[in-house]
Amino acid sequence: MEPNEKLRSAFIEAYNRDYDEVDASEELDEFSEYDKKRGCPRRVVTNSVHRTCHSFGRRTARIRVAAIVACVVILFCGFMSVPAIREGIVEFVVEKFQEYSLVTFHGTDTGNVERGEEGEKPLLPDGYTIVETTELPYFFEAKIVAPSGEEIMFVRTADGAGISVDTENAVTMDLNIYGYTCMGIEKDGESTLILSDEKYGYILSSTDGMEVIKNFACQLFH
Amino acid sequence: MLVMPSTADAGRTFKEIYDTYGTVMLKVARKIIRDSYLAEDAVQEALLRISRNMDKVGDIYSPESRGYVLTVTRNASLTILKTKKGIVEMEESLLSAEHLPESCDIEQDVISKVSYEALVSIIRGLPKIYADVLYLDWVMNFSIKEISEHLDASETTVKKRITRGRKLLMSRLNENNQEGREHNGTK
């Protein structure tokens, strides 16, 4: 049975009184210096929407790790020779803190390549299909289905965006895809790849395995 | 999935929410999580959850939105705290002390006999674990799925909490009415 208007109104009043009590309390109301040094939540949140790295199940991920086990793996996508490491216009920086790590995409000023536009639709490899899209400030997000049916969460961002990634007890790895440096994360059956090219930063994730997103990335940058 | 409203509008609203509620959100988080850094994480988590439902927020300055922000922040804080203290245990122990009615229907005639102030007081006295789901259901009109995403709980858990919350509310409404009758010397 649906609540009547009196009950609904009373709920709103009750919660607003709770809100007013909290608002009037003398708890500290400023973000810490620690947070300000890291780039301040105000700037991270309002200028770039602090997104979480997640699979299509939208599991929110936060980092709560004191030690990260990392191994370095170099991936060659069908080439015998190693391509030169390219410096993207958009670079990603990983800042590791005691409680969590922050991945931030920064645009470097080379002036040679046109910067990516947030609303520009991605050109997908053959056989891949976008089934859902979400556009938020600074992010373009899509659920993509691979030709063989696996699902990939595709997040693309331009300069100034940041994400936090849960790497507690995760395996992280440095990868190279066609000259683009990437960071791979494996945890609890969810695989994530963070990378950038000349125009955008990308976060690819899937619960169908790292090979699925590696294959997608290889074809995306080929 | 629907495409979000224009990027500029969503960004503006998001910033307005942060500027308007950020301070109180931090206070709410700090009341639950004494660790100031984790409290800041909770606020960011809450903002992320809100950002996924911008199209349902409506007027961010409305009384409904204030309660919604409070609810989301509290639950984001509890999500973080859950990993530290196993707070899930509280749910069952809360109910064991209450004699709950079989039906979870909200009886309109019971509500009509309760004064508005008494009703507000009863709601404020409900355990937040139940009051919050009822708020998201009845005030914000979220689906079970949306509520489960807000609270980082399974849909089964959300349904259970809604049922238990209704029963608890009815139990306390009936108690209030009973006390009122006894006070007035009626049976």
Side-chain angles (χ1 to χ4, degrees), chain B residues 67-136:
Chain B
Y68 167 64
V69 169
L70 188 70
T71 302
V72 176
T73 306
R74 180 163 44 231
N75 283 276
S77 304
L78 289 173
T79 296
I80 289 177
L81 197 63
K82 211 188 292 187
T83 63
K84 305 286 185 185
K85 294 187 178 180
I87 199 170
V88 175
E89 293 174 4
M90 287 177 63
E91 183 165 358
E92 295 304 323
S93 64
L94 278 171
L95 288 182
S96 63
E98 304 265 356
H99 175 67
L100 299 178
E102 285 299 315
S103 170
C104 64
D105 286 341
I106 300 298
E107 297 173 24
Q108 306 296 348
D109 64 326
V110 173
I111 296 173
S112 66
K113 292 173 184 169
V114 178
S115 71
Y116 186 77
E117 277 302 317
L119 188 53
V120 171
S121 178
I122 288 169
I123 291 169
R124 294 188 77 190
L126 285 174
K128 296 303 180 218
I129 197 171
Y130 302 120
D132 285 350
V133 288
L134 295 177
Y135 190 94
L136 294 176

Side-chain angles (χ1 to χ4, degrees), chain A residues 1-84:
Chain A
M1 181 180 294
E2 293 299 319
N4 63 16
E5 192 51 41
K6 179 180 177 182
L7 185 55
R8 187 176 182 275
S9 172
F11 256 93
I12 295 170
E13 178 64 26
Y15 271 65
N16 272 262
R17 290 187 190 181
D18 286 347
Y19 183 100
D20 290 337
E21 270 187 13
V22 174
D23 199 12
S25 69
E26 295 181 3
E27 287 277 349
L28 291 174
D29 59 1
E30 292 182 1
F31 284 92
S32 63
E33 285 301 320
Y34 169 82
D35 218 46
K36 287 175 185 172
K37 284 179 186 173
R38 135 163 95 77
C40 103
R42 181 177 290 273
R43 180 170 71 81
V44 169
V45 172
T46 61
N47 288 349
S48 57
V49 180
H50 197 198
R51 292 284 292 185
T52 57
C53 191
H54 58 269
S55 70
F56 65 87
R58 291 191 176 274
R59 181 169 65 87
T60 300
R62 298 293 301 189
I63 290 177
R64 205 120 30 251
V65 64
I68 297 175
V69 176
C71 56
V72 178
V73 175
I74 305 297
L75 173 72
F76 299 95
C77 291
F79 281 81
M80 297 299 292
S81 60
V82 180

Side-chain angles (χ1 to χ4, degrees), chain B residues 145-177:
Chain B
K145 184 173 183 296
E146 288 166 336
I147 296 173
S148 74
E149 288 170 357
H150 272 87
L151 306 184
D152 195 27
S154 69
E155 293 186 22
T156 303
T157 298
V158 169
K159 288 177 187 172
K160 280 184 187 172
R161 288 183 187 174
I162 289 176
T163 300
R164 289 171 182 168
R166 287 180 172 187
K167 286 185 177 180
L168 192 57
L169 178 61
M170 282 307 303
S171 171
R172 294 190 178 177
L173 288 173
N174 284 324
E175 276 176 22
N176 179 83
N177 286 344

Side-chain angles (χ1 to χ4, degrees), chain A residues 192-203:
Chain A
T192 304
L193 201 62
I194 301 168
L195 67 165
S196 61
D197 63 8
E198 289 84 2
K199 295 174 75 174
Y200 295 106
Y202 302 88
I203 307 112

